[in-house]
Amino acid sequence: MSRSIALQMTTLVLYAFASGCCLAEEKEVPMALQPFALKDVRLADGPCEAAQEANRKYLHLLDLDRLLYTFRQNAGLPTSGEPLGGWEKPEVEVRGHFPGHFLSACALMYASTGDEELKAKADKMVAELAKCQEKLGGGYLSAYPASFLDRLESMERVTWAPLYVIHKIMAGLFDMYQLAGNEQALDMLKKMAAYFKGRADKLTDFQMERMLTVEFGGMSEVLHNLYGVTHDPDHLALANRYDQAGFLGPLALDRDNLSHIHGNTQIPKICGAARRYELTGEENYRHLTEFFWDRVVNARCYATGGTTSAEVWPEPNALAGTLAVNNQECCKTHNMLKVTRHLLQWTGDPAYADYYERAFWNGILGTQRADTGMLLYYVPLATGLTKQWGTPYDSFWCCYGTGIETFAKLGDSVYFHDDDAVYVNLFLPSTVTWKDKGLRLEQVTRFPEEEGTSLVLHLDKPTTVGLCVHVPYWATQGVTVEVNGQPVEAAAKPTSYLRLNRTWNDGDRVEVALPMVLHAAPMPDAPELVAVMYGPVVLAGLSPEVDGDLLSDPADPTQWIEKLPDAPLTFQTKGQKAPMRLIPWHQVIDEPYGVYWVVTKEGGPRHKQILAAQEARRKRAARTVDEVLVGDADSEKAHNLQGDKTGDGPLGNRHWRHAVVDGWWSWDLKVLPAGQMTLSCTLWGSDSGNRKFDLLVDGTVIATQEMKSNNPGRFLDMDYPIPVKLTKGKDKVTIRFQGQPGNMAGGVFGCAVLRPE
Ligand SMILES: [Zn+2]
């Protein structure tokens, strides 16, 4: 295609995206698969049910007056109880987001478990929020003043993410209507839509598009959902106005525009585009959803199915340098599974089921602790770090909101159906009821400990129905099937659905064996940096000090890892200097772990590099005159720690010290009276933001360090020569860290004085 024609097409498509002139007709689009309602699926005893139960307890624990505090305060109504902490503190700009998620989670949990007490609690909350909405004029409802929206629309003094919060409240009301039958919630949502229509009607397309550069959650999605219920063209028109042409248009033209942008700002826009396609049949929106999914899943996901580092997407397939403390924000996995569910329904393509399973085991399960229901923000993938759990009342990060929804709907994509077959998509102990066929399908399995599943059909009468079982990408050893103990012919490739057609009788039992093997998941840009999987689960190594020290064939983990015979899903390295135990990542709770390993063939170039680095570390240790152990109170005291506005804390199994703006700290370290000394500091290569600081020796600046993600996901050993005159004749000096104006200093993870080589 010539460039000029391509440009014309770009212009046309972008115009079509930007223009609000032509509202599409409502149209039913063909679906390959239909979902089951959440209320028709029930989990049975196993890790998923335990996670659901922990979440249910947490939803019961949360106090309604505290959840309502800032809404009542904003409406000028009397408050009781205390405000919440974390991101829900009254002074935090995104206050009100979590209570919105809470309504969604209660509605989902009611559908999943039938918990009437929880439904009553959420109904009460809706009624109390209605009072707030009434007091605020009958349309607007939020925990912050409407002036935040004025500031957003004018793009002056914009607060954090005002419409992101509004989306959560609207979605909570929608879910309470759709899943818990609360008509008052629908009425309140319609009033909110009318209020936001009034605001949007005053904005030109230019002003609207400018405003949509600020994170706005799933405004399009919830308003399209509302239209799906009301069929009111005003709701469709309003929903369409939140479809951001500047982002969606290029995707519709197969332009990968995802590098270096904030991931979770974008995924909900795709959820909205997917709903638009389902309601109007506009093919552009289907196409861009498929293209987007491919660019995230096939170019920017880790072995776990998670995506982003520091919440931002890298260039396609440039993942090896992004391992850090803040990989795969949990919201993104939650939202990518929503996108995947749409695509699976449209296409029936088992590749979408493969991704769903991978992200489910390695990015959903394992992000909540089943003993307390507490949740993660990020999944660290740099080696040696630990999961950082939140608290019941003082976290409320975005991922707490999506987390309580996720663990209230674990059954939502386990089963699908078409006109004449049921699809088993995930292997979880559970049952699904298909009323039209008089079928209750019971799945009995200890998967993934058990390498397969059993399906028992409970039927009113003999029934002809297809049974389609997902055969995932990892099932490379073949599949065997028995019906009532008799082997049946069953050939199925990895990434397919195995279909059994017959007339079934009540109590028929189908056993499906899916043998698992160890397999490597290498980084696309570093074949020697591999994660190891067993079936669908990513293994985490629990002795992360062996990082960089594994000698074998990176492509074949069976050469260096073996499964232990007596412990389920427990593995150990073999033929290595130090043995390392590995377990599924989703089973890790508090242990430091590693997921990616440098595995090199002995004597190869990478192995030589590693040996050289080890030798450099050995030499450095031999040169150390004095060293302070950061975070070790005795060591820091012995080095005469002084400072102002300084703090310390853990990062995985390391410890940092920093000073906030206008702060500083110092330690006294020994030096030798003669010779060139070197100050050596360990810094964190992912640190960025306002972090430009001076290093002073006895009051003289010897270096200035700026942190700008200098080496993401890795620690940096930085050496700063100390001028000889500053140490001459002395036996110790004071090392001071001082931020430049408006800047922090640190974090510093290690500090030593080295003698000359
Ligand atoms: Zn999040």
Side-chain angles (χ1 to χ4, degrees):
M1 190 190 294
S2 79
R3 189 164 176 275
S4 63
I5 294 175
L7 272 175
Q8 278 174 21
M9 279 199 57
T10 309
T11 312
L12 279 172
V13 172
L14 288 177
Y15 177 74
F17 271 89
S19 166
C21 69
C22 15
L23 199 59
E25 298 280 311
E26 189 164 354
K27 180 182 163 192
E28 202 159 308
V29 297
M31 292 281 191
L33 299 179
Q34 302 287 338
F36 284 98
L38 205 44
K39 67 180 169 49
D40 293 330
V41 179
R42 285 289 179 268
L43 301 181
D45 191 27
C48 290
E49 198 207 22
Q52 176 180 274
E53 198 51 24
N55 190 37
R56 199 172 67 83
K57 284 193 184 132
Y58 182 45
L59 297 177
H60 277 284
L61 169 81
L62 287 164
D63 179 74
L64 218 47
D65 284 327
R66 296 190 70 181
L67 287 161
L68 288 161
Y69 189 96
T70 49
F71 282 88
R72 287 169 168 159
Q73 187 181 49
N74 186 50
L77 292 170
T79 56
S80 52
E82 280 178 68
L84 301 171
W87 286 17
E88 285 296 331
K89 280 185 188 166
E91 65 272 24
V92 176
E93 289 170 348
V94 292
R95 61 188 180 268
H97 77 104
F98 183 84
H101 283 291
F102 178 82
L103 287 180
S104 292
C106 289
L108 290 162
M109 188 64 89
Y110 173 64
S112 290
T113 64
D115 185 335
E116 293 286 348
E117 200 186 322
L118 199 59
K119 175 179 167 352
K121 182 174 178 177
D123 284 338
K124 171 94 190 302
M125 182 158 165
V126 169
E128 291 301 308
L129 287 171
K131 292 179 193 165
C132 298
Q133 188 181 34
E134 204 49 46
K135 185 79 193 308
L136 286 164
Y140 181 56
L141 174 63
S142 184
Y144 60 71
S147 60
F148 282 21
L149 297 170
D150 301 336
R151 288 158 65 176
L152 176 69
E153 287 162 0
S154 65
M155 292 299 277
E156 285 170 15
R157 296 184 302 117
V158 176
T159 58
W160 186 346
L163 290 174
Y164 173 93
V165 177
I166 296 297
H167 160 241
K168 307 312 170 204
I169 299 163
M170 290 178 118
L173 293 172
F174 181 81
D175 292 337
M176 280 301 295
Y177 165 70
Q178 196 176 51
L179 298 166
N182 187 313
E183 293 284 345
Q184 185 179 24
L186 179 63
D187 181 56
M188 289 163 68
L189 177 57
K190 286 184 195 165
K191 288 175 179 167
M192 283 185 83
Y195 174 83
F196 280 92
K197 178 178 186 304
R199 293 196 80 105
D201 284 350
K202 294 195 192 108
L203 301 178
T204 64
D205 284 345
F206 171 80
Q207 288 170 318
M208 196 78 190
E209 190 72 5
R210 187 179 66 167
M211 178 178 84
L212 296 186
T213 57
V214 179
E215 183 172 10
F216 61 96
M219 287 297 284
S220 160
E221 182 191 29
V222 69
L223 289 164
H224 280 110
N225 281 339
L226 177 62
Y227 170 67
V229 167
T230 63
H231 310 286
D232 178 344
D234 277 357
H235 292 153
L236 178 60
L238 182 62
N240 287 182
R241 292 204 75 192
Y242 291 95
D243 287 327
Q244 186 193 11
F247 176 66
L248 300 177
L251 290 169
L253 293 167
D254 293 351
R255 304 264 166 85
D256 181 340
N257 57 354
L258 305 184
S259 299
H260 313 297
I261 59 172
H262 184 255
N264 202 46
T265 297
Q266 320 309 329
I267 309 172
K269 299 175 191 173
I270 304 299
C271 294
R275 281 300 285 145
R276 179 164 175 173
Y277 163 70
E278 288 174 356
L279 291 161
T280 67
E282 290 167 277
E283 284 290 336
N284 268 337
Y285 289 86
R286 172 178 174 143
H287 180 79
L288 74 86
T289 304
E290 292 174 333
F291 179 72
F292 170 87
W293 186 91
D294 172 71
R295 292 294 76 203
V296 175
V297 170
N298 294 324
R300 293 181 175 87
C301 274
Y302 303 104
T304 51
T307 187
T308 69
S309 185
E311 307 194 15
V312 168
W313 277 307
E315 297 279 342
N317 296 312
L319 292 170
T322 65
L323 300 179
V325 67
N326 51 9
N327 294 115
Q328 68 179 67
E329 182 194 354
C330 296
C331 286
K332 296 191 183 78
T333 312
H334 170 91
N335 283 322
M336 281 305 294
L337 289 188
K338 286 174 75 170
V339 175
T340 304
R341 179 175 154 89
H342 286 293
L343 290 165
L344 184 57
Q345 289 177 64
W346 300 347
T347 63
D349 183 343
Y352 293 120
D354 283 352
Y355 174 75
Y356 203 102
E357 184 194 51
R358 180 190 279 257
F360 185 86
W361 283 102
N362 305 302
I364 298 290
L365 292 183
T367 64
Q368 180 227 46
R369 15 183 341 148
D371 55 348
T372 62
M374 295 299 99
L375 297 156
L376 297 182
Y377 191 153
Y378 299 111
V379 172
L381 291 175
T383 298
L385 303 178
T386 53
K387 296 180 179 178
Q388 302 291 311
W389 302 105
T391 59
Y393 277 107
D394 291 298
S395 299
F396 300 122
W397 313 308
C398 49
C399 302
Y400 255 59
T402 46
I404 57 170
E405 291 190 31
T406 280
F407 290 96
K409 66 174 186 80
L410 294 172
D412 92 328
S413 295
V414 182
Y415 304 99
F416 291 88
H417 68 88
D418 59 19
D419 287 349
D420 49 22
V422 58
Y423 287 69
V424 179
N425 216 40
L426 290 174
F427 306 126
L428 309 181
S430 54
T431 56
V432 60
T433 303
W434 192 1
K435 286 192 199 72
D436 292 353
K437 299 284 182 193
L439 167 67
R440 189 167 63 84
L441 182 69
E442 182 185 6
Q443 190 177 177
V444 183
T445 183
R446 288 177 295 103
F447 186 90
E449 281 84 351
E450 177 187 339
E451 301 185 6
T453 191
S454 299
L455 301 160
V456 184
L457 292 96
H458 302 279
L459 288 158
D460 300 336
K461 58 178 192 302
T463 303
T464 304
V465 65
L467 189 57
C468 296
V469 180
H470 177 213
V471 179
Y473 65 99
W474 49 262
T476 53
Q477 308 303 299
V479 183
T480 55
V481 179
E482 290 183 1
V483 176
N484 298 329
Q486 298 299 312
V488 299
E489 190 74 29
K493 300 189 306 264
T495 308
S496 71
Y497 284 105
L498 170 75
R499 188 174 182 121
L500 300 170
N501 284 320
R502 64 165 68 196
T503 302
W504 304 93
N505 294 309
D506 183 38
D508 278 349
R509 185 181 183 98
V510 180
E511 318 246 5
V512 182
L514 295 155
M516 296 177 190
V517 283
L518 285 164
H519 53 108
M523 283 293 193
D525 50 338
E528 290 173 319
L529 185 58
V530 297
V532 179
M533 303 183 71
Y534 188 71
V537 297
V538 170
L539 300 182
L542 301 183
S543 307
E545 65 269 19
V546 304
D547 186 20
D549 215 3
L550 294 163
L551 290 176
S552 193
D553 178 359
D556 182 8
T558 62
Q559 292 191 20
W560 52 281
I561 294 182
E562 60 193 350
K563 191 164 185 275
L564 297 180
D566 299 327
L569 290 181
T570 306
F571 302 79
Q572 189 168 286
T573 51
K574 60 180 179 182
Q576 305 298 322
K577 261 192 277 178
M580 174 172 68
R581 197 162 64 89
L582 299 102
I583 60 171
W585 175 85
H586 73 266
Q587 292 178 355
V588 171
I589 300 175
D590 287 322
E591 309 92 317
Y593 65 88
V595 164
Y596 277 96
W597 312 100
V598 177
V599 184
T600 53
K601 288 190 175 158
E602 188 152 19
R606 185 68 193 252
H607 184 220
K608 285 179 184 158
Q609 266 177 18
I610 290 167
L611 291 179
Q614 284 172 347
E615 178 60 12
R617 278 203 295 276
R618 194 194 58 74
K619 279 188 177 163
R620 185 178 176 280
R623 288 172 59 202
T624 301
V625 176
D626 193 12
E627 182 169 20
V628 57
L629 302 176
V630 179
D632 178 318
D634 291 341
S635 174
E636 291 200 273
K637 191 174 173 201
H639 290 89
N640 190 28
L641 171 68
Q642 302 287 322
D644 184 28
K645 297 180 183 165
T646 178
D648 66 302
L651 179 74
N653 59 356
R654 303 286 296 260
H655 212 94
W656 48 262
R657 174 164 296 286
H658 72 198
V660 298
V661 174
D662 298 331
W664 62 274
W665 83 94
S666 68
W667 294 300
D668 294 347
L669 272 85
K670 288 189 197 111
V671 293
L672 301 178
Q676 164 82 65
M677 300 291 117
T678 299
L679 178 65
S680 179
C681 293
T682 307
L683 308 172
W684 175 236
S686 291
D687 270 346
S688 62
N690 299 327
R691 292 177 187 267
K692 189 173 183 185
F693 54 97
D694 294 328
L695 293 86
L696 299 90
V697 172
D698 284 346
T700 301
V701 176
I702 63 155
T704 299
Q705 177 69 50
E706 186 166 14
M707 302 309 296
K708 292 200 294 190
S709 289
N710 312 36
N711 190 5
R714 304 253 173 235
F715 288 102
L716 292 170
D717 285 327
M718 296 295 295
D719 285 351
Y720 312 96
I722 304 176
V724 174
K725 63 179 182 198
L726 296 178
T727 55
K728 194 173 177 186
K730 297 180 184 171
D731 60 2
K732 72 174 178 190
V733 292
T734 298
I735 313 287
R736 178 174 164 124
F737 299 83
Q738 171 87 55
Q740 294 210 342
N743 279 264
M744 296 176 66
V748 173
F749 292 76
C751 181
V753 169
L754 309 180
R755 63 165 61 87
E757 288 191 64

